[in-house]
Amino acid sequence: MKQTVGRFAPTPSGRIHLGNLLCALVAWLSVRSQQGKMILRIEDLDIARCRKEYAEKLQEELLWFGLDWDEGGNKGGSHTPYEQSQCSDLYKQALEHLEKKGLLYPCFCSRAQLHAANAPHLSDGSYHYNGKCLSLTPSQRQELEKQKHPAIRVHVPDEVVEFTDLHYGHQQENLWQETGDFLLCRGDGIFAYQLAVVVDDLRMGVTQVVRGRDLLSSTPCQIWLAKQLDSSVYPEYGHIPLLLDSDGNRLSKRDGALSLDHLRQVYTPEQILGRLAFAANLIPKPEAISAKELVGEFCWSKLPKEDILLPKELF
Ligand code: GLU
């Protein structure tokens, strides 16, 4: 049987928090319970927001918890580069491929126009794009290009993409109606997450993607895009519930009582993992346990479907 290849793909735009840790933990447990290979990819596309120090720090933190990887990060491997900021040529090639298929068009809409005219999209903060710039004539495009460097969108069909999520089961989305033509490159030349993640998952031979359920609605776009890049295979996807603080808010990269810096001063790695695994229903009591010991306890069906509220008294 083919070896499972998983990945953890953090964005080093701040310090990781317990939610990121849970995601790394489940991705790692899923891979390790299948004797698979783990890749660490640094998603530092947005060079203005990302910092090398954060990328270094998160690697030190993952290793402190015993969440190791076989390729990527500071370890290297046969699929370099493992930092998206170093992959521009690969993303450019993918864009050229899509351009030849006639799937791309320039978009001149400003952020304000997008906010005003397009419905907010589901949970990942993106927008359903109404296709405004699709109908521009070549001369209108030329005129607009004098004023502004356009973003690049890919034109999606009015078609339903289906897949079976490892955790949330059958999913389907009509690309044109629910997502709209999505961005592959921003006006400032920064490649979009959707393009980079697909190119990298394919070239690194990733067979299993585990990540937060906020990205569930991006998955049909990514499966469709992989097909447009002529891939007949794409990974299986497992999305996990989000971790919420005791007030029901999503954790953020800000510091606070739940920051890893604070928790690491107070608890051992096993104590933190044990409490987190308990909150995620992987073990029956919040007892100290190592990442390795958790492998034997892991099973997708133990994870809840609804988001996980961290009780105040847990940490
Ligand atoms: N880089 C993304 C993040 O940190 C994760 C992308 C993915 O797992 O597909 O949220």
Side-chain angles (χ1 to χ4, degrees):
M1 227 179 74
K2 244 183 94 186
Q3 189 190 33
T4 300
V5 181
R7 49 52 155 199
F8 180 50
T11 300
S13 58
R15 297 288 303 282
I16 57 170
H17 53 65
L18 277 177
N20 305 125
L21 182 65
L22 178 65
C23 195
L25 175 66
V26 175
W28 186 89
L29 290 173
S30 183
V31 163
R32 293 298 183 225
S33 63
Q34 298 171 68
Q35 288 80 45
K37 181 170 83 171
M38 192 69 187
I39 296 179
L40 176 67
R41 185 169 72 227
I42 306 295
E43 302 215 321
D44 55 352
L45 277 176
D46 192 342
I47 42 171
R49 286 178 53 235
C50 294
R51 289 213 221 132
K52 211 168 171 63
E53 302 92 87
Y54 292 138
E56 298 288 340
K57 187 70 188 165
L58 73 88
Q59 296 185 61
E60 184 266 321
E61 281 171 334
L62 290 174
L63 293 177
W64 189 75
F65 285 105
L67 302 176
D68 61 349
W69 57 94
D70 308 294
E71 259 189 50
N74 291 342
K75 214 166 182 180
S78 54
H79 298 95
T80 46
Y82 291 93
E83 298 82 28
Q84 292 189 325
S85 59
Q86 308 302 311
C87 297
S88 299
D89 287 346
L90 297 167
Y91 306 146
K92 236 180 250 160
Q93 280 168 26
L95 277 188
E96 280 162 18
H97 185 85
L98 299 167
E99 173 71 35
K100 279 194 193 122
K101 291 186 158 185
L103 289 170
L104 305 185
Y105 66 93
C107 173
F108 298 89
C109 293
S110 65
R111 199 176 277 260
Q113 282 170 320
L114 291 173
H115 276 248
N118 300 280
H121 189 257
L122 314 174
S123 52
D124 63 0
S126 63
Y127 284 81
H128 175 279
Y129 182 61
N130 61 10
K132 181 167 181 267
C133 289
L134 179 63
S135 54
L136 292 173
T137 63
S139 64
Q140 283 172 320
R141 282 181 185 162
Q142 257 177 13
E143 210 37 53
L144 285 163
E145 260 164 24
K146 287 182 196 154
Q147 299 154 31
K148 188 176 177 178
H149 197 263
I152 298 173
R153 286 187 187 273
V154 63
H155 182 45
V156 297
D158 189 359
E159 206 174 280
V160 174
V161 173
E162 297 181 65
F163 71 101
T164 303
D165 187 80
L166 280 172
H167 189 50
Y168 288 102
H170 179 256
Q171 305 289 317
Q172 62 175 52
E173 194 166 296
N174 181 303
L175 292 177
W176 173 249
Q177 287 166 28
E178 293 175 64
T179 309
D181 296 343
F182 54 95
L183 274 186
L184 296 187
C185 189
R186 294 184 347 197
D188 60 5
I190 302 265
F191 294 100
Y193 158 71
Q194 304 287 21
L195 176 72
V197 82
V198 171
V199 169
D200 287 334
D201 282 339
L202 292 181
R203 77 183 174 88
M204 291 177 179
V206 170
T207 66
Q208 186 179 93
V209 170
V210 175
R211 56 189 180 193
R213 65 143 190 88
D214 50 331
L215 289 168
L216 192 57
S217 61
S218 286
T219 305
C221 301
Q222 294 176 10
I223 291 173
W224 176 80
L225 196 57
K227 280 195 194 137
Q228 306 318 306
L229 291 170
D230 294 341
S231 179
S232 56
V233 289
Y234 50 85
E236 57 178 353
Y237 291 86
H239 291 82
I240 68 165
L242 304 177
L243 202 60
L244 308 175
D245 66 18
S246 54
D247 297 325
N249 300 315
R250 274 182 71 173
L251 300 182
S252 70
K253 288 181 176 170
R254 70 182 148 62
D255 278 340
L258 291 175
S259 75
L260 288 185
D261 270 345
H262 175 75
L263 295 176
R264 285 178 66 176
Q265 282 168 19
V266 184
Y267 301 107
T268 64
E270 292 78 17
Q271 286 174 320
I272 299 175
L273 288 179
R275 285 165 162 81
L276 197 59
F278 168 72
N281 204 35
L282 295 177
I283 52 173
K285 287 192 193 133
E287 286 170 350
I289 186 166
S290 69
K292 274 209 175 89
E293 288 164 332
L294 269 172
V295 174
E297 305 290 327
F298 179 72
C299 163
W300 273 96
S301 63
K302 286 185 180 173
L303 277 176
K305 296 276 193 293
E306 62 284 358
D307 288 345
I308 301 166
L309 206 64
L310 269 183
K312 237 192 193 95
E313 60 283 2
L314 198 60
F315 284 105

